[in-house]
Amino acid sequence: MMTDNDHQMLRCFDPWQGLVISYNRRSWVNCCVYADISDVWRGDFPDLQAAWNSPWFQRLRTKVASGELKGTGCKGCIMLRQQSVPQPYTPADGTPIQIDNLALAAKHWKAGDAILKSAPAELFFTFTAACNLRCVMCSQEDIREYEKYPDLCAEHLLTQEDVIEKALRVRVSGGEPLISRECVAFIQGFARNKRFRHTCLSIVSNGLLLNNVLDVLRQLEKVELIISADGVGVAYEKVRRGGNWEKLKANIDAFLHLKQVLKKQRWGLSFNYIVMRDTLPCLPEFLEFALARDIDKVCLMGLDPTRNTFKQDIYRNPTALAAVPEWKKIIGAAVQVCASYQHTELIHTLTSLKDRLEQVREVDQSVYACADPINLLKADNIRGKRVLIWGTGGYYRQHFAEWIKDHKNMVSYLGFVDNDDSKWDSRCEGFVIHSPTEVVDLKPDMIILAVTRQFRDIIRDQIRHELGVHTTVI
């Protein structure tokens, strides 16, 4: 039997510590595996503490504290299944105000409080969806095309000193954050403010515009730079279209030189590297490049499945893997590079990568759809079918609304489904918006996913494995 203490140890700390604020007027809990359920606000950007204690966040904390995760993005969490959810901690180098704030958050977590007096210990600002590159594996193309929102407002954020000062880390991202004037203005204002001197500024970037903010960064004691880079030289420029490998190298070396000259002991640099057909051959060379510069971490990642990346996906497509016939030797060479630098963590990661690729036998195209879903929705395929639409946001309005009007007399519409519980039992286009748990009873012949690419895989898995519904999903 699970005791109260056991349940508490399985309670994730993230809803009590990390706040994400996005340009598209959404906020959610900071978690890399959190599903597509978020708070939505209308009008001006909210104050950070108000967003942190919004009714949506209060409901989330109440559900997480009780262990009842239905209707939250925590349902089915892999870390919860592995019993490895984030727990309260004491930072090694926090200021007294930061340590006290985190201790207060831990007390709220332990009590299961929904309304917090503590501020977020980590703040994540997604300033924009815009980017200066067009990467072949990008999962944000739909967002750029269909979601037209202004960037986050730097001035509004910088006025909230009392909240930011308590944060251990403030991370800015995009899109490409350094293409946003608002993000650059935020970095400049952040660096000038002495109250933020001991808060880490974390930048997730492709690194090509880093030279525009280097002089500003010299004012900060704590900087965390996370560069997304895949491949080397021509291979890098092939997958990161519009990129320039020599410029990226120059920017990285300039950052590291400045770190050395200014003796910035708490400046860090890491890489996110997507392993796919065109970047796997360069992996040993890239690891040599990174480890020779004493990089803090190299995170080897798989592709986010989109409609355009199947030919690159060596994890799911054996044809893509077969296009790199020497892949085992390549991984072996990468292991040797890591061994020469005594980097045991990367050796373990590479060993796991080799084991996974050895299991790629059959094409797994279940998470991929055809390039144009409308082609699957022709009269002969849908006539008389019981159809359910999953998603009611901007992608639906731009991509499916007109189609539904044109075909409303051809199918039996069951309405909509949305993971956002604030929409349940309301109406869209005159049809009811259902909760996901109602899908089983609705017995659809077909579910149309009217959502952007990066969420399709998550929702397909939710339909098949969490809801146990096996029907046509487009």
Side-chain angles (χ1 to χ4, degrees), residues 48 51 75 87 119 142 168 175 181 285 307 320 347 384 431 441:
L48 296 176
K75 183 69 175 178
Q87 300 284 289
D142 287 341
L168 294 163
R181 292 181 180 179
E285 186 179 354
R307 300 182 192 277
I347 292 173
F431 295 96
D441 294 333

Side-chain angles (χ1 to χ4, degrees), residues 196-223:
F196 304 157
R197 182 167 296 173
H198 297 286
T199 295
C200 176
L201 178 65
S202 175
I203 304 173
V204 182
S205 168
N206 58 43
L208 291 168
L209 301 175
L210 180 62
N211 52 296
N212 294 338
V213 296
L214 274 180
D215 282 343
V216 177
L217 296 182
R218 65 170 60 231
Q219 302 174 61
L220 296 171
E221 294 302 318
K222 298 180 182 180
V223 175

Side-chain angles (χ1 to χ4, degrees), residues 262-297:
L262 299 179
K263 299 180 180 180
K264 298 288 189 179
Q265 300 298 321
R266 289 180 288 184
W267 279 24
L269 173 62
S270 61
F271 287 111
N272 288 336
Y273 188 101
I274 297 178
V275 181
M276 54 187 179
R277 185 191 69 189
D278 289 345
T279 64
L280 180 57
C282 307
L283 186 54
E285 186 179 354
F286 182 88
L287 290 175
E288 177 65 41
F289 165 81
L291 298 180
R293 287 162 172 78
D294 197 25
I295 300 303
D296 296 302
K297 185 175 182 180

Side-chain angles (χ1 to χ4, degrees), residues 273-275 279-288 291 298-301 314-315 327-358:
Y273 188 101
I274 297 178
V275 181
T279 64
L280 180 57
C282 307
L283 186 54
E285 186 179 354
F286 182 88
L287 290 175
E288 177 65 41
L291 298 180
V298 179
C299 181
L300 303 181
M301 308 166 65
I314 59 175
Y315 294 92
W327 68 267
K328 290 184 181 180
K329 291 184 178 180
I330 292 169
I331 293 178
V335 168
Q336 291 181 351
V337 171
C338 296
S340 69
Y341 288 95
Q342 299 181 342
H343 205 300
T344 55
E345 181 181 352
L346 270 174
I347 292 173
H348 176 74
T349 300
L350 289 165
T351 303
S352 298
L353 171 63
K354 180 175 178 290
D355 292 343
R356 180 173 177 182
L357 293 181
E358 285 179 335

Side-chain angles (χ1 to χ4, degrees), residues 393-459:
Y395 187 85
Y396 157 74
R397 291 190 297 272
Q398 293 286 342
H399 212 70
F400 287 98
E402 289 300 319
W403 181 89
I404 287 175
K405 290 178 183 178
D406 294 340
H407 296 81
K408 63 183 179 182
N409 296 323
M410 190 176 295
V411 301
S412 175
Y413 276 118
L414 304 177
F416 294 83
V417 179
D418 205 292
N419 276 321
D420 186 347
D421 57 4
S422 68
K423 298 180 179 180
W424 296 347
D425 296 325
S426 61
R427 289 184 175 268
C428 179
E429 311 286 7
F431 295 96
V432 173
I433 301 177
H434 301 279
S435 73
T437 57
E438 298 176 78
V439 173
V440 175
D441 294 333
L442 290 169
K443 299 179 179 179
D445 298 317
M446 178 182 294
I447 300 175
I448 300 173
L449 300 185
V451 296
T452 53
R453 291 173 181 169
Q454 73 266 38
F455 300 127
R456 289 179 189 142
D457 189 23
I458 295 171
I459 295 174

Side-chain angles (χ1 to χ4, degrees), residues 135-153:
C135 304
V136 299
M137 63 289 193
C138 183
S139 61
Q140 297 186 358
E141 289 181 356
D142 287 341
I143 294 176
R144 296 187 188 108
E145 184 175 357
Y146 297 114
E147 292 191 354
K148 306 298 183 183
Y149 295 96
D151 294 356
L152 282 181
C153 177

